[in-house]
Amino acid sequence: MGAYTETYRRSLDDPEQFWLDAARAIDWTQRPTRALDPSAAPFYRWYPDGELNTSYNALDRHADGGRGAQDALIWDSPVSGRKRRYTYAELRDEVATFAGALASLGVTRGDRVILYLPMIPQAVIAMLACARIGAVHSVVFGGFAPKELAARIEDAKPKLILAASCGIEPARVVEYKPIIDAALETTGHQPDHVVVFQREQAAAELSGTDLDWNDLVADADPVDPVPVKATDPLYILYTSGTTGRPKGVVRDAGGHAVALAWSMGALYDVHAGDVWWTASDVGWVVGHSYIVYAPLLVGATTVLYEGKPVGTPDAGAFWRVISEHGVQALFTAPTALRAVKKVDPDADELKKYDLSRFRTLFMAGERLDPETYHWAHDILGTPVVDHWWQTETGWPIAANPRGLEPMPVKPGSATKPVPGWDVRILDQAGEELPAGREGAITLKLPLPPGSLPTLWGDDERYREAYLSRYPGYYLTGDSGYLDEDGYLFVMGRTDDVINVAGHRLSTGSMEAVLASHPAVAECAVIGVADQLKGQVPRGFVVLKSGVEVPEEQLRDELVALVRRDIGPVAAFRDVSVVNALPKTRSGKILRKTMRGIADGRDEAVPSTIEDPSVLDALRAILRP
Ligand SMILES: CCC(=O)SCCNC(=O)CCNC(=O)[C@H](O)C(C)(C)COP(=O)(O)OP(=O)(O)OC[C@H]1O[C@@H](n2cnc3c(N)ncnc32)[C@H](O)[C@@H]1OP(=O)(O)O
């Protein structure tokens, strides 16, 4: 039996012992005597009697344990022309002082703190400072509009908002303070303060209870890490659901630390002293887990990159960073590589850099199409490893376990279920499907440590959204199949969530925005295949009777509305006016059929369709 099979079996046959063993990689203020607490099933908890501090595990134990002079964080920001390195000792000190600053404002264990910060060291410092005092951070991605930020403020009810004065996109400086002010104008909940880190590209005007970050730090004293229960929340991260209201995924402290530390070695083969780079954003789960927590938990050096794959300044940006900082492994989304490939198909830029230390490219966030896989593999000559997971799971469900037993790659597959995750493919009736048959990808409960224990303040929504469809199983919302070798192929979502450039977005939210336009009677938004971004949203609107408006003007207005209410990250640019939308006799819009036609599939017309001629008329628009 190979190492993978043996480890996988052990993780499912005896999760109690498996995860108690893995917990030894973490320093506990109170070592857990038990791993799994099933007493409130299907709400499972991990390490119910353990206590720890995640910031201590990510920083102090390395700073005091012989790695004080090693780089913990390398910030590389081509958009601002800045770079900065922090050793473990320096980062620990900065975090301890900022934690003291938060404490001086009355933030204590369990308080929520919203972070609206771009890819700057202050984002990492703020996350770890919250963890140090047991406060619960909730990072909001900078590409979201005020309305999305407001929804998160309303749900998390933060004591503070920590922000920068601006983010920097290649074509523009995005001022954050007006976005926060606009959000706060609409929320019932008001934080005590907004603390602003001023950047030279655009200083924010502070007023009222706003505070300047540097002034606050200047008066602060460092504080020690506060032990918290392993089951205490470390953070909340909101993700798009099928409705407009984002879901607050909760991550608990103990399970998270154990699972991430385990994953770094077993899945990524990255260890203390290695240099690791995740090119994503701290606003996404990939940023939480693999820019900030996991690399620091194992004593590696993590790169924080504020730039793009192309245009900052060119398509050699990724290769420059890898070469300059001696990066051994990179984790990024396929869209990033497709962007590089589009501009530099022969990878001429790559030839300018020494990538001799580089070992592995990891890809996730969206499906890695075989063409991009082959291109990356050919130009790099290193393993290119796809893997699959979700905001909810916090770490990979299916992967090629490079540190356990590297496996042959099958392009299009995320490789095999990771130890801890009991992946089952179920049909509509909940029967398990044999190899090769596509169905709903589900995870048999209990989920391993590090996965979500619930949704913030909403156990019922957690149960309803994830656990009710197949009792005893977690519904991933993706469909796919396991082949005869046990490789998992993830084929796409089964709901109305789409993945645009690795960003998970709700078409339902976009439809709500379109429907708010006075000219629109009804609408549908579907995700269609896109060469660069994997998927992009496409809108279809039916006008109210008697309304006459030039299609181009309406399109511009609708695009602007989605940008205003959801944010630029929605990449919503394409909307058509149609006479009618195809529906079932009970009035349900046939979005899946529309999606299939737009993607060039031979879609059968559902027998429940109300008026087949509507679909016939739409075909030419869906697939010109
Ligand atoms: C495994 C679990 C998970 O899936 S967690 C999620 C993992 N996903 C990722 O890591 C995301 C990967 N994608 C990316 O990093 C980017 O899309 C890359 C590939 C770098 C391309 O970036 P970009 O060229 O900006 O395109 P985009 O489609 O992301 O952006 C669309 C518009 O939104 C804007 N935007 C983007 N980020 C921000 C931000 N932080 N603040 C403000 N605006 C932002 C972009 O400028 C762009 O705007 P515009 O429409 O061009 O005006």
PDB file of all heavy atoms in Angstrom, residues 529-553:
ATOM      1  N   ALA A 529     -18.792  30.333 -20.890  1.00  0.00           N
ATOM      2  CA  ALA A 529     -17.351  30.064 -20.976  1.00  0.00           C
ATOM      3  C   ALA A 529     -16.619  31.257 -21.573  1.00  0.00           C
ATOM      4  O   ALA A 529     -17.113  31.919 -22.487  1.00  0.00           O
ATOM      5  CB  ALA A 529     -17.122  28.824 -21.827  1.00  0.00           C
ATOM      6  N   ASP A 530     -15.434  31.532 -21.031  1.00  0.00           N
ATOM      7  CA  ASP A 530     -14.616  32.645 -21.528  1.00  0.00           C
ATOM      8  C   ASP A 530     -13.164  32.179 -21.603  1.00  0.00           C
ATOM      9  O   ASP A 530     -12.657  31.553 -20.666  1.00  0.00           O
ATOM     10  CB  ASP A 530     -14.732  33.840 -20.580  1.00  0.00           C
ATOM     11  CG  ASP A 530     -13.936  35.031 -21.065  1.00  0.00           C
ATOM     12  OD1 ASP A 530     -14.399  35.694 -22.007  1.00  0.00           O
ATOM     13  OD2 ASP A 530     -12.845  35.290 -20.520  1.00  0.00           O
ATOM     14  N   GLN A 531     -12.537  32.503 -22.716  1.00  0.00           N
ATOM     15  CA  GLN A 531     -11.153  32.070 -22.971  1.00  0.00           C
ATOM     16  C   GLN A 531     -10.178  32.504 -21.890  1.00  0.00           C
ATOM     17  O   GLN A 531      -9.262  31.780 -21.532  1.00  0.00           O
ATOM     18  CB  GLN A 531     -10.672  32.677 -24.295  1.00  0.00           C
ATOM     19  CG  GLN A 531     -11.224  32.029 -25.528  1.00  0.00           C
ATOM     20  CD  GLN A 531     -10.416  30.815 -25.921  1.00  0.00           C
ATOM     21  OE1 GLN A 531      -9.209  30.807 -25.765  1.00  0.00           O
ATOM     22  NE2 GLN A 531     -11.071  29.765 -26.408  1.00  0.00           N
ATOM     23  N   LEU A 532     -10.384  33.721 -21.351  1.00  0.00           N
ATOM     24  CA  LEU A 532      -9.433  34.263 -20.381  1.00  0.00           C
ATOM     25  C   LEU A 532      -9.884  34.009 -18.945  1.00  0.00           C
ATOM     26  O   LEU A 532      -9.143  33.433 -18.134  1.00  0.00           O
ATOM     27  CB  LEU A 532      -9.249  35.769 -20.620  1.00  0.00           C
ATOM     28  CG  LEU A 532      -8.307  36.487 -19.661  1.00  0.00           C
ATOM     29  CD1 LEU A 532      -6.881  35.957 -19.804  1.00  0.00           C
ATOM     30  CD2 LEU A 532      -8.329  37.994 -19.909  1.00  0.00           C
ATOM     31  N   LYS A 533     -11.086  34.421 -18.613  1.00  0.00           N
ATOM     32  CA  LYS A 533     -11.542  34.388 -17.215  1.00  0.00           C
ATOM     33  C   LYS A 533     -12.237  33.086 -16.840  1.00  0.00           C
ATOM     34  O   LYS A 533     -12.775  32.962 -15.746  1.00  0.00           O
ATOM     35  CB  LYS A 533     -12.475  35.574 -16.943  1.00  0.00           C
ATOM     36  CG  LYS A 533     -11.740  36.913 -16.969  1.00  0.00           C
ATOM     37  CD  LYS A 533     -12.687  38.073 -16.703  1.00  0.00           C
ATOM     38  CE  LYS A 533     -12.059  39.410 -17.055  1.00  0.00           C
ATOM     39  NZ  LYS A 533     -11.385  40.086 -15.984  1.00  0.00           N
ATOM     40  N   GLY A 534     -12.243  32.098 -17.722  1.00  0.00           N
ATOM     41  CA  GLY A 534     -12.908  30.831 -17.421  1.00  0.00           C
ATOM     42  C   GLY A 534     -14.408  30.932 -17.637  1.00  0.00           C
ATOM     43  O   GLY A 534     -14.980  30.231 -18.464  1.00  0.00           O
ATOM     44  N   GLN A 535     -15.031  31.833 -16.905  1.00  0.00           N
ATOM     45  CA  GLN A 535     -16.447  32.128 -17.085  1.00  0.00           C
ATOM     46  C   GLN A 535     -16.654  33.628 -16.972  1.00  0.00           C
ATOM     47  O   GLN A 535     -15.917  34.280 -16.224  1.00  0.00           O
ATOM     48  CB  GLN A 535     -17.266  31.483 -15.951  1.00  0.00           C
ATOM     49  CG  GLN A 535     -17.851  30.139 -16.268  1.00  0.00           C
ATOM     50  CD  GLN A 535     -18.792  29.675 -15.164  1.00  0.00           C
ATOM     51  OE1 GLN A 535     -18.527  29.814 -13.986  1.00  0.00           O
ATOM     52  NE2 GLN A 535     -19.913  29.094 -15.558  1.00  0.00           N
ATOM     53  N   VAL A 536     -17.654  34.140 -17.688  1.00  0.00           N
ATOM     54  CA  VAL A 536     -18.077  35.533 -17.466  1.00  0.00           C
ATOM     55  C   VAL A 536     -19.596  35.568 -17.412  1.00  0.00           C
ATOM     56  O   VAL A 536     -20.270  34.704 -17.991  1.00  0.00           O
ATOM     57  CB  VAL A 536     -17.581  36.506 -18.576  1.00  0.00           C
ATOM     58  CG1 VAL A 536     -16.091  36.773 -18.459  1.00  0.00           C
ATOM     59  CG2 VAL A 536     -17.941  35.997 -19.960  1.00  0.00           C
ATOM     60  N   PRO A 537     -20.149  36.565 -16.713  1.00  0.00           N
ATOM     61  CA  PRO A 537     -21.615  36.638 -16.659  1.00  0.00           C
ATOM     62  C   PRO A 537     -22.199  37.241 -17.937  1.00  0.00           C
ATOM     63  O   PRO A 537     -21.593  38.122 -18.551  1.00  0.00           O
ATOM     64  CB  PRO A 537     -21.867  37.569 -15.471  1.00  0.00           C
ATOM     65  CG  PRO A 537     -20.634  38.393 -15.336  1.00  0.00           C
ATOM     66  CD  PRO A 537     -19.497  37.593 -15.907  1.00  0.00           C
ATOM     67  N   ARG A 538     -23.369  36.732 -18.330  1.00  0.00           N
ATOM     68  CA  ARG A 538     -24.096  37.317 -19.472  1.00  0.00           C
ATOM     69  C   ARG A 538     -25.521  37.565 -19.045  1.00  0.00           C
ATOM     70  O   ARG A 538     -26.174  36.685 -18.486  1.00  0.00           O
ATOM     71  CB  ARG A 538     -24.122  36.324 -20.637  1.00  0.00           C
ATOM     72  CG  ARG A 538     -23.187  36.695 -21.756  1.00  0.00           C
ATOM     73  CD  ARG A 538     -23.471  35.863 -22.978  1.00  0.00           C
ATOM     74  NE  ARG A 538     -24.318  36.565 -23.936  1.00  0.00           N
ATOM     75  CZ  ARG A 538     -24.644  36.073 -25.127  1.00  0.00           C
ATOM     76  NH1 ARG A 538     -24.216  34.879 -25.494  1.00  0.00           N
ATOM     77  NH2 ARG A 538     -25.397  36.758 -25.948  1.00  0.00           N
ATOM     78  N   GLY A 539     -25.988  38.783 -19.280  1.00  0.00           N
ATOM     79  CA  GLY A 539     -27.334  39.138 -18.853  1.00  0.00           C
ATOM     80  C   GLY A 539     -28.311  39.168 -20.019  1.00  0.00           C
ATOM     81  O   GLY A 539     -27.942  39.490 -21.153  1.00  0.00           O
ATOM     82  N   PHE A 540     -29.564  38.835 -19.744  1.00  0.00           N
ATOM     83  CA  PHE A 540     -30.656  38.898 -20.727  1.00  0.00           C
ATOM     84  C   PHE A 540     -31.813  39.614 -20.055  1.00  0.00           C
ATOM     85  O   PHE A 540     -32.210  39.220 -18.952  1.00  0.00           O
ATOM     86  CB  PHE A 540     -31.075  37.487 -21.157  1.00  0.00           C
ATOM     87  CG  PHE A 540     -29.944  36.736 -21.800  1.00  0.00           C
ATOM     88  CD1 PHE A 540     -29.046  36.020 -21.011  1.00  0.00           C
ATOM     89  CD2 PHE A 540     -29.739  36.781 -23.168  1.00  0.00           C
ATOM     90  CE1 PHE A 540     -27.983  35.353 -21.580  1.00  0.00           C
ATOM     91  CE2 PHE A 540     -28.668  36.116 -23.747  1.00  0.00           C
ATOM     92  CZ  PHE A 540     -27.782  35.399 -22.945  1.00  0.00           C
ATOM     93  N   VAL A 541     -32.299  40.671 -20.687  1.00  0.00           N
ATOM     94  CA  VAL A 541     -33.390  41.415 -20.051  1.00  0.00           C
ATOM     95  C   VAL A 541     -34.583  41.536 -20.997  1.00  0.00           C
ATOM     96  O   VAL A 541     -34.426  41.666 -22.210  1.00  0.00           O
ATOM     97  CB  VAL A 541     -32.949  42.839 -19.602  1.00  0.00           C
ATOM     98  CG1 VAL A 541     -31.885  42.767 -18.526  1.00  0.00           C
ATOM     99  CG2 VAL A 541     -32.488  43.684 -20.764  1.00  0.00           C
ATOM    100  N   VAL A 542     -35.756  41.477 -20.394  1.00  0.00           N
ATOM    101  CA  VAL A 542     -36.994  41.738 -21.127  1.00  0.00           C
ATOM    102  C   VAL A 542     -37.489  43.096 -20.632  1.00  0.00           C
ATOM    103  O   VAL A 542     -37.544  43.326 -19.413  1.00  0.00           O
ATOM    104  CB  VAL A 542     -38.049  40.649 -20.817  1.00  0.00           C
ATOM    105  CG1 VAL A 542     -39.350  40.946 -21.559  1.00  0.00           C
ATOM    106  CG2 VAL A 542     -37.515  39.276 -21.173  1.00  0.00           C
ATOM    107  N   LEU A 543     -37.829  43.989 -21.575  1.00  0.00           N
ATOM    108  CA  LEU A 543     -38.246  45.333 -21.163  1.00  0.00           C
ATOM    109  C   LEU A 543     -39.721  45.362 -20.748  1.00  0.00           C
ATOM    110  O   LEU A 543     -40.535  44.553 -21.222  1.00  0.00           O
ATOM    111  CB  LEU A 543     -38.043  46.314 -22.323  1.00  0.00           C
ATOM    112  CG  LEU A 543     -36.592  46.493 -22.798  1.00  0.00           C
ATOM    113  CD1 LEU A 543     -36.525  47.621 -23.818  1.00  0.00           C
ATOM    114  CD2 LEU A 543     -35.665  46.781 -21.635  1.00  0.00           C
ATOM    115  N   LYS A 544     -40.021  46.290 -19.876  1.00  0.00           N
ATOM    116  CA  LYS A 544     -41.428  46.505 -19.511  1.00  0.00           C
ATOM    117  C   LYS A 544     -42.176  46.981 -20.754  1.00  0.00           C
ATOM    118  O   LYS A 544     -41.592  47.698 -21.598  1.00  0.00           O
ATOM    119  CB  LYS A 544     -41.515  47.581 -18.417  1.00  0.00           C
ATOM    120  CG  LYS A 544     -41.084  47.052 -17.064  1.00  0.00           C
ATOM    121  CD  LYS A 544     -41.193  48.139 -16.013  1.00  0.00           C
ATOM    122  CE  LYS A 544     -40.727  47.607 -14.677  1.00  0.00           C
ATOM    123  NZ  LYS A 544     -40.317  48.668 -13.767  1.00  0.00           N
ATOM    124  N   SER A 545     -43.441  46.622 -20.872  1.00  0.00           N
ATOM    125  CA  SER A 545     -44.131  46.998 -22.106  1.00  0.00           C
ATOM    126  C   SER A 545     -44.261  48.519 -22.188  1.00  0.00           C
ATOM    127  O   SER A 545     -44.469  49.194 -21.177  1.00  0.00           O
ATOM    128  CB  SER A 545     -45.495  46.308 -22.201  1.00  0.00           C
ATOM    129  OG  SER A 545     -46.296  46.754 -21.163  1.00  0.00           O
ATOM    130  N   GLY A 546     -44.074  49.013 -23.384  1.00  0.00           N
ATOM    131  CA  GLY A 546     -44.164  50.450 -23.624  1.00  0.00           C
ATOM    132  C   GLY A 546     -42.844  51.186 -23.433  1.00  0.00           C
ATOM    133  O   GLY A 546     -42.711  52.331 -23.853  1.00  0.00           O
ATOM    134  N   VAL A 547     -41.849  50.507 -22.835  1.00  0.00           N
ATOM    135  CA  VAL A 547     -40.566  51.190 -22.607  1.00  0.00           C
ATOM    136  C   VAL A 547     -39.761  51.196 -23.905  1.00  0.00           C
ATOM    137  O   VAL A 547     -39.634  50.167 -24.565  1.00  0.00           O
ATOM    138  CB  VAL A 547     -39.747  50.479 -21.499  1.00  0.00           C
ATOM    139  CG1 VAL A 547     -38.320  51.005 -21.472  1.00  0.00           C
ATOM    140  CG2 VAL A 547     -40.406  50.661 -20.160  1.00  0.00           C
ATOM    141  N   GLU A 548     -39.256  52.355 -24.242  1.00  0.00           N
ATOM    142  CA  GLU A 548     -38.378  52.411 -25.417  1.00  0.00           C
ATOM    143  C   GLU A 548     -37.079  53.066 -25.007  1.00  0.00           C
ATOM    144  O   GLU A 548     -37.069  54.211 -24.550  1.00  0.00           O
ATOM    145  CB  GLU A 548     -39.057  53.207 -26.531  1.00  0.00           C
ATOM    146  CG  GLU A 548     -40.084  52.373 -27.259  1.00  0.00           C
ATOM    147  CD  GLU A 548     -40.573  53.027 -28.516  1.00  0.00           C
ATOM    148  OE1 GLU A 548     -39.844  53.889 -29.058  1.00  0.00           O
ATOM    149  OE2 GLU A 548     -41.690  52.687 -28.931  1.00  0.00           O
ATOM    150  N   VAL A 549     -36.003  52.333 -25.136  1.00  0.00           N
ATOM    151  CA  VAL A 549     -34.700  52.877 -24.776  1.00  0.00           C
ATOM    152  C   VAL A 549     -33.667  52.246 -25.701  1.00  0.00           C
ATOM    153  O   VAL A 549     -33.746  51.041 -25.998  1.00  0.00           O
ATOM    154  CB  VAL A 549     -34.386  52.579 -23.275  1.00  0.00           C
ATOM    155  CG1 VAL A 549     -34.534  51.135 -22.928  1.00  0.00           C
ATOM    156  CG2 VAL A 549     -33.021  53.070 -22.859  1.00  0.00           C
ATOM    157  N   PRO A 550     -32.734  53.060 -26.229  1.00  0.00           N
ATOM    158  CA  PRO A 550     -31.720  52.476 -27.122  1.00  0.00           C
ATOM    159  C   PRO A 550     -30.954  51.371 -26.384  1.00  0.00           C
ATOM    160  O   PRO A 550     -30.566  51.545 -25.222  1.00  0.00           O
ATOM    161  CB  PRO A 550     -30.800  53.653 -27.449  1.00  0.00           C
ATOM    162  CG  PRO A 550     -31.578  54.876 -27.096  1.00  0.00           C
ATOM    163  CD  PRO A 550     -32.545  54.501 -26.042  1.00  0.00           C
ATOM    164  N   GLU A 551     -30.768  50.238 -27.079  1.00  0.00           N
ATOM    165  CA  GLU A 551     -30.172  49.070 -26.423  1.00  0.00           C
ATOM    166  C   GLU A 551     -28.781  49.393 -25.837  1.00  0.00           C
ATOM    167  O   GLU A 551     -28.439  48.979 -24.736  1.00  0.00           O
ATOM    168  CB  GLU A 551     -30.087  47.894 -27.403  1.00  0.00           C
ATOM    169  CG  GLU A 551     -29.550  46.648 -26.724  1.00  0.00           C
ATOM    170  CD  GLU A 551     -29.932  45.357 -27.431  1.00  0.00           C
ATOM    171  OE1 GLU A 551     -30.784  45.390 -28.337  1.00  0.00           O
ATOM    172  OE2 GLU A 551     -29.361  44.316 -27.069  1.00  0.00           O
ATOM    173  N   GLU A 552     -28.014  50.176 -26.593  1.00  0.00           N
ATOM    174  CA  GLU A 552     -26.653  50.496 -26.136  1.00  0.00           C
ATOM    175  C   GLU A 552     -26.665  51.297 -24.834  1.00  0.00           C
ATOM    176  O   GLU A 552     -25.907  51.043 -23.898  1.00  0.00           O
ATOM    177  CB  GLU A 552     -25.922  51.278 -27.213  1.00  0.00           C
ATOM    178  CG  GLU A 552     -24.437  51.287 -26.982  1.00  0.00           C
ATOM    179  CD  GLU A 552     -23.695  51.278 -28.311  1.00  0.00           C
ATOM    180  OE1 GLU A 552     -24.059  50.488 -29.199  1.00  0.00           O
ATOM    181  OE2 GLU A 552     -22.788  52.079 -28.443  1.00  0.00           O
ATOM    182  N   GLN A 553     -27.592  52.252 -24.781  1.00  0.00           N
ATOM    183  CA  GLN A 553     -27.697  53.090 -23.566  1.00  0.00           C
ATOM    184  C   GLN A 553     -28.102  52.233 -22.367  1.00  0.00           C
ATOM    185  O   GLN A 553     -27.539  52.326 -21.283  1.00  0.00           O
ATOM    186  CB  GLN A 553     -28.732  54.195 -23.807  1.00  0.00           C
ATOM    187  CG  GLN A 553     -28.938  55.082 -22.583  1.00  0.00           C
ATOM    188  CD  GLN A 553     -30.167  55.971 -22.737  1.00  0.00           C
ATOM    189  OE1 GLN A 553     -30.487  56.422 -23.838  1.00  0.00           O
ATOM    190  NE2 GLN A 553     -30.860  56.204 -21.643  1.00  0.00           N
TER     191      GLN A 553
END
